[in-house]
């Protein structure tokens, strides 16, 4: 069992994968509850443009992807001020990202095969530096989201009330957007542009399906994401399957199981409260 | 937002209320979404301590917009607003966060099966005060317990918010607004989607807070008969203030006349 751990690239894939799954699964709960799930998909495509630019300019592509995603994330927020609907704003930046990537590929100045590896991820090809970067950035994302969780939950529930109650809503939105950008770039490296949103949306959706209290929702989301990576990597090794795709398919199984569990549950809701664990954590 | 510190004179205040101290003063407020059409046109008003004010008007009259201007969710195109509740946090800034509690329209919070309990929602009323990265203190938890009990939510405090009735949801929102002990409670059509029983319970609770805690209340309300019965003062708005005075003097008939185009004398 877990024979992939006998290879150093397998260990790197596991550590990098778990780090990214951790960040994605926490962020995902906020994004899904705020109905912003598609922003991950849009930013993934923006990252593709940034990666292509990195190849073109001969800069480490993750850096250019990070820059482009942050510009994209704030661009999406900015153009919404001009009466552009959220989904349209995401679509516009998604198109820009893809268009830039395709145009750079057509210039034939980059290496299309390497560039296209970012479409499907390179979790088995992670270097030590990639793993270190994934660990650092996912720690930053995880710590920030946990530190600000009560404020982020409040703006998730009711943005207007939070503003009147004195929360610095604009600053919180800024930090949240930044963390979303960082997480998307990390996930792009591992599972690719085309599957980035699944890593963020599916474990969170599976956890929300269970209708547990908020702390348990986060814990289940993390658990589903981590198990998807572990099981997905093992299946990938055992049956020579694309790791990014199989990780996502495993997470889909967790989602289906959650739906079934939710259906089988009696109609009485479990009592719960955030406040009950205020002093225990 | 910084405001000018010059004292404002009193506007449209019923004479019976002049002895009370003002909490919020708004002067010549105007607001437009598109830069051309004034949704709020030169509105001035003063809210006094322990007043119960109802804002009425036809659809599109700017009622919710006025409330959002008063609570600081929107900034006026022209005019000024000032809280005068003399809290140190309020000097020179608008809105005065500790001074105001806000209950938004229920439909502004769509049903998303959010995994939060009633108690969680009420606790959120204190998040703005306890500061970033900090947990609720024992004192905060006592405040939350007190407002939950007083609002009749004890039996459902640990229920998932999306599972409780419309009336209980509105009481939860009110408890969330009141947990920080504000001087003024602003409500935007709080009972628009609540059944008759829930409505009566809500008004009863509102009246309890108004009387027992000397809370000033300003509320946008569609139901004209309710408005004249439960409020002390009515502001009738049709982008401009058409009436600002005692609710009893206006009565339901007076409100109906205003609503259908026949202005009463101020």
């Amino acid at each position: 069992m877990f024979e992939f751990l006998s290879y150093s690239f397998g260990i790197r894939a596991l550590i990098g994968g778990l780090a990214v799954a951790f960040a994605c699964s926490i962020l995902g709960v906020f994004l899904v509850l705020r109905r912003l799930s598609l922003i991950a998909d849009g930013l993934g495509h923006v990252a593709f443009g940034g990666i292509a630019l990195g190849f073109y300019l001969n800069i480490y592509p993750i850096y250019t992807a990070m820059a482009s995603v942050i510009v994209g994330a704030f661009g999406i927020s900015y153009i919404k001020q001009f009466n552009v609907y959220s989904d349209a704003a995401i679509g516009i930046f998604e198109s820009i990202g893809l268009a830039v990537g395709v145009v750079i590929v057509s210039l034939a100045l980059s290496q299309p095969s390497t560039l296209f590896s970012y479409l499907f991820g390179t979790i088995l090809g992670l270097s030590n530096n990639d793993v270190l970067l994934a660990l650092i950035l996912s720690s930053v994302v995880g710590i920030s989201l946990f530190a600000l969780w009560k404020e982020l939950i409040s703006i998730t529930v009711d943005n207007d009330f939070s503003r009147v109650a004195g929360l610095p809503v604009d600053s919180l939105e800024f930090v949240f957007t930044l963390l979303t950008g960082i997480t998307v770039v990390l996930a792009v490296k591992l599972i690719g542009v085309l599957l980035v949103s699944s890593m963020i949306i599916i474990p969170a959706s599976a956890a929300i399906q269970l209708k547990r209290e908020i702390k348990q929702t986060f814990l289940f989301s993390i658990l589903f994401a981590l198990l998807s990576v572990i099981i997905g990597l093992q299946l990938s090794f055992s049956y020579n399957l694309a790791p990014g795709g199989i990780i996502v398919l495993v997470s889909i199984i967790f989602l289906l199981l959650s739906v079934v569990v939710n259906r089988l549950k009696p109609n009485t809701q479990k009592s719960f409260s955030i406040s009950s664990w205020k002093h225990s954590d | 937002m910084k405001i000018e510190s010059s004292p404002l004179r009193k506007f449209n205040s019923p004479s019976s209320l002049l002895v009370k101290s003002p909490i919020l003063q708004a002067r010549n407020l105007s607001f437009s979404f598109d830069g051309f059409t004034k949704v709020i046109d030169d509105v001035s008003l003063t809210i006094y301590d322990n007043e119960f004010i109802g804002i009425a008007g036809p659809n599109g009259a700017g009622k919710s917009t006025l409330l959002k201007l008063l609570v600081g969710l929107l900034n006026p195109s022209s005019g000024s607003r000032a809280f005068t509740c003399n809290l140190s946090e309020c000097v020179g800034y608008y809105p005065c966060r500790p001074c105001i509690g806000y209950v938004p329209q229920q439909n502004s919070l769509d049903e998303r099966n959010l995994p939060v309990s009633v108690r969680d929602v009420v606790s959120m009323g204190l998040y703005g005060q306890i500061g970033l990265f900090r947990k609720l203190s024992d004192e905060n938890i006592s405040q939350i317990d007190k407002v939950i009990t007083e609002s009749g939510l004890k039996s459902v405090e640990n229920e998932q918010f999306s599972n409780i009735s419309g009336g209980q949801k509105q009481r939860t929102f009110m408890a969330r607004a009141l947990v920080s002990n504000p001087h003024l409670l602003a409500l935007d059509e709080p009972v628009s989607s609540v059944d008759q029983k829930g409505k009566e319970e809500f008004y009863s609770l509102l009246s309890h807070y108004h009387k027992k805690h000397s809370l000033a209340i300003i509320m946008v309300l569609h139901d004209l008969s309710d408005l004249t019965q439960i409020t002390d003062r009515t502001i009738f708005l049709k982008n401009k203030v058409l009436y600002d005075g005692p609710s009893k003097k206006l009565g339901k008939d007076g409100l109906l006349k205003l609503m259908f185009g026949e202005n009463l004398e101020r």
Side-chain angles (χ1 to χ4, degrees), chain B residues 18-236:
Chain B
L18 286 175
V19 289
K20 295 178 177 178
S21 52
I23 294 177
L24 193 158
Q25 294 176 313
R27 182 183 184 180
N28 307 113
L29 288 184
S30 291
F31 180 80
S32 164
F33 286 104
D34 59 7
F36 301 103
T37 314
K38 283 185 177 175
V39 181
I40 297 295
D41 187 4
D42 197 26
V43 170
S44 297
L45 60 92
T46 301
I47 298 172
Y48 294 88
D49 199 20
N50 202 22
E51 261 195 309
F52 196 156
I53 304 171
I55 303 177
N59 288 336
K63 306 184 291 293
S64 293
T65 305
L66 176 62
L67 204 71
K68 285 180 178 173
L69 285 168
L70 295 177
V71 301
L73 279 173
L74 294 172
N75 289 320
S77 313
S78 60
S80 62
R81 310 155 295 178
F83 274 96
T84 51
C85 42
N86 298 321
L87 295 178
S88 56
E89 298 97 316
C90 302
V91 177
Y93 288 92
Y94 198 94
C96 175
R97 308 290 185 190
C99 192
I100 193 156
Y102 177 54
V103 179
Q105 272 188 29
Q106 190 170 355
N107 57 18
S108 69
L109 182 71
D110 51 7
E111 297 293 333
R112 286 173 291 174
N113 281 327
L114 293 165
V116 288
S117 69
V118 169
R119 190 178 180 84
D120 297 332
V121 175
V122 175
S123 305
M124 287 169 196
L126 289 172
Y127 288 174
Q129 292 189 11
I130 59 178
L132 297 177
F133 314 118
R134 290 189 177 177
K135 292 177 183 175
L136 295 170
S137 65
D138 288 340
E139 190 188 342
N140 295 145
I141 290 170
S142 303
Q143 275 176 274
I144 294 163
D145 286 334
K146 191 179 162 201
V147 77
I148 282 178
T149 305
E150 207 164 352
S151 304
L153 295 166
K154 193 71 188 164
S155 61
V156 293
E157 66 173 327
N158 293 324
E159 288 292 319
Q160 189 162 2
F161 177 75
S162 54
N163 286 348
I164 59 175
S165 71
Q168 287 170 329
K169 279 180 183 159
Q170 281 311 98
R171 277 188 279 146
T172 304
F173 289 142
M174 189 151 85
R176 180 181 64 170
L178 292 172
V179 72
S180 57
N181 293 320
H183 295 208
L184 171 68
L185 181 66
L187 306 100
D188 194 354
E189 297 187 31
V191 287
S192 56
S193 54
V194 175
D195 61 21
Q196 189 58 34
K197 184 170 173 281
K199 211 187 261 190
E200 283 165 12
E201 285 173 357
F202 187 81
Y203 289 150
S204 161
L205 185 62
L206 208 53
S207 172
H208 164 81
Y209 273 105
H210 173 56
K211 287 172 185 158
K212 190 176 170 193
H213 298 278
S214 303
L215 183 71
I217 296 172
I218 184 162
M219 175 168 67
V220 173
L221 207 59
H222 256 307
D223 195 321
L224 301 184
S225 55
D226 287 350
L227 190 132
T228 49
Q229 278 173 24
I230 63 171
T231 63
D232 304 324
R233 174 180 160 195
T234 295
I235 295 173
F236 188 89

Side-chain angles (χ1 to χ4, degrees), chain A residues 2 9 24 29 43 45 74 107 113 145 148 158 185 193 233 240 260 279-281:
Chain A
F2 301 128
F9 68 88
C24 286
V29 175
L43 292 179
H45 288 77
F74 288 109
L107 289 173
S113 60
L145 291 176
L148 293 169
D158 195 338
V185 173
V193 168
L233 280 175
N240 196 24
V260 172
H279 290 289
S280 59
D281 61 353

Side-chain angles (χ1 to χ4, degrees), chain A residues 64 68 72 116 130 174 192 224 232 268:
Chain A
T64 47
S68 66
F116 287 140
D130 290 334
F174 178 87
F224 291 149
T268 50

Side-chain angles (χ1 to χ4, degrees), chain A residues 46-248:
Chain A
V46 172
F48 179 69
I51 289 163
L53 200 63
F55 277 108
Y56 181 70
L57 299 173
N58 207 18
I59 300 171
Y60 183 45
I62 291 298
Y63 296 151
T64 47
M66 190 73 78
S68 66
V69 160
I70 289 168
V71 169
F74 288 109
I76 288 167
S77 303
Y78 182 72
I79 65 167
K80 281 196 284 189
Q81 295 171 16
F82 300 101
N83 290 331
V84 177
Y85 292 117
S86 289
D87 52 350
I90 291 168
I92 289 166
F93 275 85
E94 184 172 324
S95 308
I96 294 170
L98 266 183
V100 168
V102 169
V103 167
I104 291 176
V105 169
S106 73
L107 289 173
L109 290 170
S110 62
Q111 304 149 282
S113 60
T114 318
L115 177 62
F116 287 140
S117 74
Y118 280 89
L119 286 177
F120 304 103
T122 52
I123 190 167
L124 298 179
L126 294 180
S127 65
N128 285 336
N129 282 344
D130 290 334
V131 174
L132 188 65
L133 188 68
L135 282 172
I136 292 170
L137 292 182
S138 63
S139 301
V140 169
V141 171
I143 291 167
S144 307
L145 291 176
F146 274 121
L148 293 169
W149 78 268
K150 74 178 194 310
E151 287 79 14
L152 291 173
I153 287 289
S154 183
I155 63 172
T156 299
V157 171
D158 195 338
N159 203 305
D160 276 358
F161 176 82
S162 303
R163 204 176 282 277
V164 175
L167 287 177
V169 175
D170 293 332
S171 304
L172 288 165
E173 295 279 11
F174 178 87
V175 172
F176 187 74
T177 305
L178 206 61
L179 296 174
T180 305
I182 292 171
T183 309
V184 164
V185 173
L186 276 177
V188 161
K189 175 75 182 166
L190 263 73
I191 57 169
V193 168
L194 298 179
L195 293 173
V196 63
S197 57
S198 52
M199 195 85 163
I200 288 172
I201 298 169
I202 298 169
S205 300
I208 290 166
Q209 276 294 321
L210 295 175
K211 293 192 175 174
R212 309 299 285 261
E213 56 103 344
I214 193 82
K215 183 186 178 188
Q216 289 181 17
T217 303
F218 279 103
L219 289 177
F220 273 109
S221 179
I222 294 168
L223 183 71
F224 291 149
L226 299 185
L227 285 176
S228 299
V229 169
I230 296 167
I231 298 170
L233 280 175
Q234 178 58 38
L235 290 174
S236 165
F237 261 70
S238 300
Y239 300 101
N240 196 24
L241 301 169
I246 199 70
I247 287 171
V248 172

